[in-house]
Amino acid sequence: MSLWTSLEPASTSVDPGSTTTVRLRLRNTGDVVDEYHFTPVGEIAPYITVEPASIRLFPGTTGTVRLTFAPPRTPDATAGPNPYGVRIVPTEHPEAVTVPEGNLTITPFTEIRTELVPPTVKGRFRGRPKLAIDNLGNTKLTVSLSGSDNGDQLSYEIHPANVQIEPGRAVFVDALLKPKAITWFGPKEERPYQLGVQRSGTTRLDVEGMYVQRGVLPRWLATFLGVLLTLAIAFVGLWFAYKPKVATLAQPQSQSVAASALPAPAPPLPTEQPPTVSPPEPQAPVVEPAPPVEEKESDSGGGDGGGAKAPAEPEEEKPAAPPENTAAIAVQKLQASEPGRHICYRTYLRDLGWQDPVCDGVVSGTEGQGKVVEGVNIAVAGVKGVSANGLIRKTDWEKDWKSAADGVDLYIGTVGDKELDLSGIGVGVGEGSVCVTPRLQDNGWYNMSCSTSEGDIRWIFGGDVSRQKWIEAVKFTV
């Protein structure tokens, strides 16, 4: 060995996003002039810079190089001790490689990002938001979750209530909101709430959401029942207040009988002869002539009007336009030939319009052509209905979730609006599981995501939750 090395210090620590420096001293113990080249090795080698990259030493002389450590403030810079080495290769004797080793401790840091999906939920008896939690730190994260609101108007069920998240990963937590008082009539009421994320020994991080509680019965029904009750009370009051007049016929009838028993009085004698009046002579009734009847020329144009006129020919009916080839038509045909669980869908591409429907995992849209998906038409069979909503780029989720029974079309998106693109899709089915695989602008295909719950309609999200990319193509399976 013709080289002596020393790391000063051999162990050090650094905060992610900061830098620290270690000196590497080396002496040429050989008898020839040699040049040494330096290469960092180990898992943290990408964070190490050696200056200078090579050094030339005469026999018996000593040189120094500087190692600069700059781990980024990202989950990739794992917290804890990280061994490293510097590979030194002499030019004159390349086989005599030396690797001095040291240790760098990266300090832990915590960073959490949370988002409610969707931020506003609506319902009469319950709401089902999801809380997305991203661990952007470099150490495992353990948090507990809870819910609260002003006035204690809602109850909360969160599953799971405690989660562990690895660095750089994210989890979705299901929350169930139930109002403590049911609104039977009246307008909808907005009830703000917070879902809290808390680490041990730290302040709770609250995420704001809104639950819109609807009345169980519509307002028009309350008005109708009120009017009906008022009319019923008025009718009962009039019924008891009305007193009909009852008259007896006994007295008039007795007088009539007594009068009929007496003889009729004789007519008075005339004092003078009345003048004779001759009856008027009868006159013949005056008959006005009937108005002349205009004769219309017959369609044949011949004859003297004595023949019957030809009836007008009925207008020819135009053939009806063929029905649009929608997802519902496609899934009904597929269910008829292959009974079972199916999902059919088609996409609306900007400047190209609706594409033909496809089913059960076939690509709908374009790949790598930069075409924007503005809307999606979905229909299912054998899964007890489908529910969906669209995450619109530059705005937010659509105002309301749409639902459709088996074999019925469901539409999401903003078809025809060239300023709004579809950035994500939330979809769920009434029975079993549904999977979505999106292809996003410049990012290619994402991994398949599937819902796992049974019973009530639950959903899964596919797309870009930050609304930076639009969807180019999509695949669904059930």
Side-chain angles (χ1 to χ4, degrees):
M1 180 67 65
S2 61
L3 182 65
W4 170 86
T5 61
S6 174
L7 285 171
E8 300 175 356
S11 296
T12 186
S13 62
V14 64
D15 296 329
S18 301
T19 61
T20 189
T21 303
V22 172
R23 292 193 309 166
L24 173 61
R25 299 180 60 196
L26 66 161
R27 179 185 298 116
N28 184 356
T29 59
D31 53 3
V32 297
V33 177
D34 209 340
E35 185 175 5
Y36 304 94
H37 299 270
F38 308 97
T39 305
V41 294
E43 292 185 0
I44 62 171
Y47 311 148
I48 304 175
T49 303
V50 183
E51 295 178 347
S54 64
I55 191 172
R56 185 180 181 85
L57 296 178
F58 287 91
T61 60
T62 301
T64 303
V65 296
R66 183 175 62 183
L67 308 180
T68 301
F69 300 87
R73 190 178 175 83
T74 64
D76 297 332
T78 306
N82 294 272
Y84 69 93
V86 180
R87 188 168 182 266
I88 306 174
V89 180
T91 302
E92 296 297 329
H93 301 282
E95 72 282 355
V97 177
T98 303
V99 184
E101 297 179 352
N103 187 75
L104 176 69
T105 299
I106 300 177
T107 59
F109 77 95
T110 302
E111 185 175 345
I112 305 174
R113 183 174 62 191
T114 58
E115 183 177 1
L116 272 173
V117 183
T120 300
V121 291
K122 301 178 182 180
R124 294 176 174 85
F125 303 103
R126 62 181 58 87
R128 299 179 183 275
K130 284 181 178 287
L131 179 62
I133 307 175
D134 293 322
N135 182 6
L136 304 180
N138 66 345
T139 184
K140 182 184 291 186
L141 183 65
T142 302
V143 297
S144 60
L145 299 105
S146 60
S148 63
D149 61 272
N150 295 329
D152 195 24
Q153 298 174 334
L154 303 173
S155 62
Y156 305 87
E157 295 181 13
I158 303 176
H159 300 287
N162 298 278
V163 293
Q164 286 188 341
I165 313 172
E166 296 293 335
R169 303 299 297 272
V171 297
F172 282 86
V173 179
D174 295 324
L176 177 63
L177 312 178
K178 293 183 178 180
K180 294 185 177 180
I182 297 177
T183 302
W184 292 100
F185 294 100
K188 60 185 178 182
E189 299 181 9
E190 295 184 349
R191 306 193 186 279
Y193 69 94
Q194 303 86 33
L195 293 184
V197 180
Q198 187 170 19
R199 294 184 297 114
S200 178
T202 63
T203 305
R204 192 177 87 159
L205 175 63
D206 287 333
V207 185
E208 302 289 338
M210 180 67 69
Y211 173 67
V212 180
Q213 184 177 359
R214 297 170 172 169
V216 176
L217 300 176
R219 296 183 62 184
W220 66 265
L221 182 58
T223 304
F224 174 76
L225 293 178
V227 173
L228 187 62
L229 180 61
T230 302
L231 293 176
I233 294 174
F235 177 77
V236 172
L238 291 174
W239 175 266
F240 286 102
Y242 176 69
K243 296 181 179 180
K245 294 181 179 181
V246 180
T248 178
L249 298 177
Q251 184 65 25
Q253 186 172 1
S254 62
Q255 295 176 355
S256 174
V257 171
S260 62
L262 298 176
L269 297 176
T271 58
E272 65 180 359
Q273 188 71 20
T276 303
V277 179
S278 59
E281 296 182 359
Q283 297 180 359
V286 178
V287 180
E288 296 182 359
V293 179
E294 295 182 1
E295 295 185 356
K296 297 182 180 180
E297 296 182 358
S298 62
D299 292 339
S300 60
D304 56 357
K309 298 180 181 180
E313 296 182 358
E315 295 183 359
E316 182 179 357
E317 296 184 357
K318 297 182 179 179
E324 184 180 3
N325 190 14
T326 67
I329 294 176
V331 82
Q332 292 170 9
K333 293 180 180 179
L334 182 58
Q335 180 72 356
S337 61
E338 301 179 17
R341 295 166 51 88
H342 299 291
I343 181 169
C344 294
Y345 44 93
R346 58 175 181 156
T347 53
Y348 187 94
L349 301 181
R350 181 171 297 166
D351 301 327
L352 295 181
W354 284 109
Q355 306 299 293
D356 291 334
V358 295
C359 303
D360 298 337
V362 179
V363 176
S364 179
T366 59
E367 299 185 57
Q369 300 180 22
K371 299 296 183 182
V372 179
V373 172
E374 293 185 351
V376 179
N377 171 209
I378 305 173
V380 297
V383 296
K384 295 185 178 180
V386 61
S387 179
N389 198 349
L391 182 61
I392 309 301
R393 200 164 70 95
K394 297 184 180 179
T395 58
D396 207 332
W397 288 93
E398 294 185 271
K399 183 178 180 181
D400 293 311
W401 279 70
K402 289 90 173 178
S403 299
D406 283 2
V408 179
D409 282 312
L410 182 148
Y411 293 86
I412 60 173
T414 55
V415 173
D417 193 332
K418 295 192 175 182
E419 296 297 327
L420 302 178
D421 314 331
L422 198 59
S423 186
I425 300 172
V427 61
V429 293
E431 181 179 79
S433 174
V434 61
C435 300
V436 57
T437 308
R439 178 185 175 91
L440 296 184
Q441 165 202 3
D442 301 330
N443 283 15
W445 286 103
Y446 277 39
N447 293 331
M448 178 188 293
S449 301
C450 301
S451 62
T452 58
S453 61
E454 298 288 342
D456 293 341
I457 291 183
R458 307 297 286 275
W459 64 282
I460 192 67
F461 174 79
D464 181 12
V465 73
S466 64
R467 305 192 299 276
Q468 301 298 317
K469 304 288 186 179
W470 67 66
I471 292 181
E472 289 185 337
V474 70
K475 297 184 287 188
F476 294 100
T477 56
V478 293

